[in-house]
Amino acid sequence: MVSQMCVFARLAGPGLGDLVQRNIAFSLLRRAFPSAGLTVVTGATVAARFAEFFGRHSYATGVLPCPDPGEQDPRGWARFSARLAEIRPQACFVDPDSKGLGAAEARRAGIPVRLGVPAPGDGEGDLTHPLRLPRPLFGRPDLFDHAAALAA
């Protein structure tokens, strides 16, 4: 049984609309795991800038800041890794736009269930539940297509 899950969404400069769209995936995850906490892992700047959205308007039950995209400070990563270990997630969904925090990092963190669309650089076994995108309705796949894959 999954009591705690996380979403790896280390995004580079999202706007509020980007996060509102991600709320679709958060809702699907909450429906699939109704008794689980849902912690969004995102860069410290995004977590602070959109704290009201996460706290009052999203399906997330918590936010865990990680170093921002481009940050390489080993102490910041060590603090983040320790906090991630404290919440002990049993499942992780990897946002398709997460930068430098994906399925391989979830595997190394010991998260047993890892969902997401296979991305360049994912190794064998990084995703335990690879999602397959449906054929996009218009051009390139968008967040709706990713949500449809998650729903399936």
Side-chain angles (χ1 to χ4, degrees):
M1 180 163 140
V2 175
S3 62
Q4 179 63 42
M5 65 177 318
C6 60
V7 174
F8 279 5
R10 187 176 183 227
L11 307 173
L16 181 58
D18 298 309
L19 297 178
V20 168
Q21 290 179 40
R22 281 163 173 81
N23 219 17
I24 297 167
F26 301 166
S27 172
L28 291 168
L29 292 167
R30 293 295 303 274
R31 278 192 237 158
F33 303 97
S35 62
L38 177 63
T39 300
V40 176
V41 178
T42 193
T45 300
V46 171
R49 180 174 177 208
F50 297 108
E52 181 179 353
F53 167 76
F54 287 121
R56 296 182 61 195
H57 307 290
S58 83
Y59 286 97
T61 59
V63 177
L64 175 58
C66 67
D68 286 322
E71 269 188 50
Q72 300 299 324
D73 177 24
R75 291 173 300 198
W77 279 106
R79 281 191 302 275
F80 160 69
S81 295
R83 291 193 60 210
L84 181 62
E86 286 173 12
I87 66 170
R88 302 170 53 101
Q90 294 91 36
C92 178
F93 171 68
V94 179
D95 184 282
D97 294 324
S98 188
K99 307 289 185 220
L101 185 65
E105 289 77 20
R107 181 182 48 77
R108 284 194 291 274
I111 301 172
V113 176
R114 301 172 301 277
L115 314 136
V117 173
D122 284 346
E124 177 101 16
D126 285 344
L127 288 170
T128 60
H129 294 74
L131 305 177
R132 302 289 173 225
L133 290 175
R135 184 182 181 111
L137 296 176
F138 305 104
R140 295 181 37 209
D142 59 17
L143 286 174
F144 176 81
D145 298 309
H146 286 266
L150 181 60

